Amino acid sequence: MLLSPFLLSLVAPILTHLRNFLLFVLAAGPIPAHVAFVMDGNRRYARSHHKVIQQGHGEGFVALRGILEVCLRLGIRCVSAYAFSIENFKREKKEVDALMELAEEKLEELCKHGDLLDEYGVRLNVIGKRELLPESVQRAVDKAETMTRHNDHAILNLCMPYTSRDEIATAMQSAVHEAIRSSSENNCSPTLTEHDINSHLMISRAGSPPLDILVRTSGVKRLSDFMLWQVSFCF
């Protein structure tokens, strides 16, 4: 049953107060430090609601904002979101171009004075092979990171364009180079530990605490090359 605008105006404040009360109750218990989200299902949502794919991605961003605000109100220190896979560049050019335009637009929107990141003191990190992004999006990324660099209450990692295999391979290369350099300077055999690799991961270097929970919003049960190293330590 659809509610009239008048009834909606009466119900909305009640629902807001109820949500705030539930968040207050949840915040009284153990709170994870780092929660990651695979924000997928945008295309399936668009098709099932007879909308164009671009609208599905746009509404996916609205959902991300809502989830991020809930996490920040609960006091979660770090949120990571899988925004765009390196593999997504293989999709139709029209869809990729629309996603890049949306990313540029929303990055600028997120960093406006008084908007969500500014309100909650969130530092934004864009994690991945940024050189693959269009120049205009790279400029928006640099601007957004610079504008939020002073924020120190929470962290938002937008992983784009990202795959965990690329992150691990890049970390291995950096860790090996550092081990070789260190052994040369100290005249000893090079060694490589789990800690060395972990410290060179892009998400670790962004100042993120260890991952506690990974959520896939669509309910699909696969990791899709997201934070494979980090999630293996969650259990």
Side-chain angles (χ1 to χ4, degrees):
M1 181 180 68
L2 295 176
L3 297 177
S4 69
F6 173 72
L7 287 176
L8 282 174
S9 68
L10 295 177
V11 171
I14 297 174
L15 293 177
T16 299
H17 286 302
L18 178 59
R19 184 196 66 174
N20 293 341
F21 175 74
L22 289 174
L23 291 176
F24 175 79
V25 171
L26 289 172
I31 299 297
H34 186 177
V35 179
F37 295 93
V38 181
M39 301 291 293
D40 67 333
N42 295 338
R43 296 198 294 176
R44 291 190 293 276
Y45 169 83
R47 293 188 184 109
S48 66
H49 289 76
H50 308 290
K51 298 181 178 182
V52 297
I53 299 299
Q54 291 83 344
Q55 286 179 292
H57 290 305
E59 295 189 30
F61 175 81
V62 174
L64 172 60
R65 279 183 61 98
I67 288 175
L68 176 60
E69 184 167 13
V70 168
C71 289
L72 294 172
R73 295 189 65 168
L74 284 172
I76 294 172
R77 166 71 178 163
C78 180
V79 175
S80 296
Y82 201 3
F84 191 85
S85 168
I86 293 174
E87 298 299 316
N88 288 157
F89 282 114
K90 297 177 182 178
R91 293 180 179 178
E92 292 184 6
K93 185 178 183 301
K94 182 179 179 181
E95 182 179 354
V96 173
D97 289 346
L99 278 167
M100 293 297 101
E101 290 177 8
L102 181 66
E104 183 178 354
E105 174 191 337
K106 298 308 180 183
L107 280 168
E108 294 186 359
E109 181 181 314
L110 271 174
C111 298
K112 286 181 180 177
H113 178 69
D115 203 71
L116 195 61
L117 302 191
D118 186 54
E119 179 184 353
Y120 287 93
V122 182
R123 184 174 78 247
L124 174 68
N125 301 310
V126 176
I127 308 292
K129 299 194 75 168
R130 291 153 53 151
E131 64 271 20
L132 298 179
L133 298 170
E135 288 187 6
S136 60
V137 180
Q138 291 186 44
R139 288 194 295 270
V141 166
D142 291 340
K143 179 181 177 182
E145 288 189 330
T146 300
M147 290 180 67
T148 63
R149 190 54 56 210
H150 65 284
N151 293 340
D152 58 4
H153 288 115
I155 297 169
L156 170 61
N157 297 318
L158 283 181
C159 299
M160 56 174 283
Y162 168 96
T163 62
S164 189
R165 286 174 297 172
D166 175 71
E167 181 186 32
I168 294 170
T170 302
M172 286 288 294
Q173 291 171 355
S174 298
V176 167
H177 289 158
E178 184 174 296
I180 293 173
R181 183 175 61 253
S182 177
S183 67
S184 177
E185 292 173 353
N186 296 289
N187 194 27
C188 62
S189 299
T191 59
L192 193 63
T193 68
E194 174 187 304
H195 173 76
D196 296 327
I197 299 169
N198 186 73
S199 66
H200 282 84
L201 293 170
M202 298 174 190
I203 291 174
S204 298
R205 293 172 67 182
S208 308
L211 180 66
D212 293 308
I213 300 172
L214 186 143
V215 178
R216 184 156 188 157
T217 57
S218 69
V220 174
K221 295 180 180 179
R222 62 176 185 269
L223 295 176
S224 294
D225 210 353
F226 182 51
M227 298 183 74
L228 301 180
W229 177 281
Q230 294 88 345
V231 80
S232 66
F233 296 95
C234 287
F235 305 103

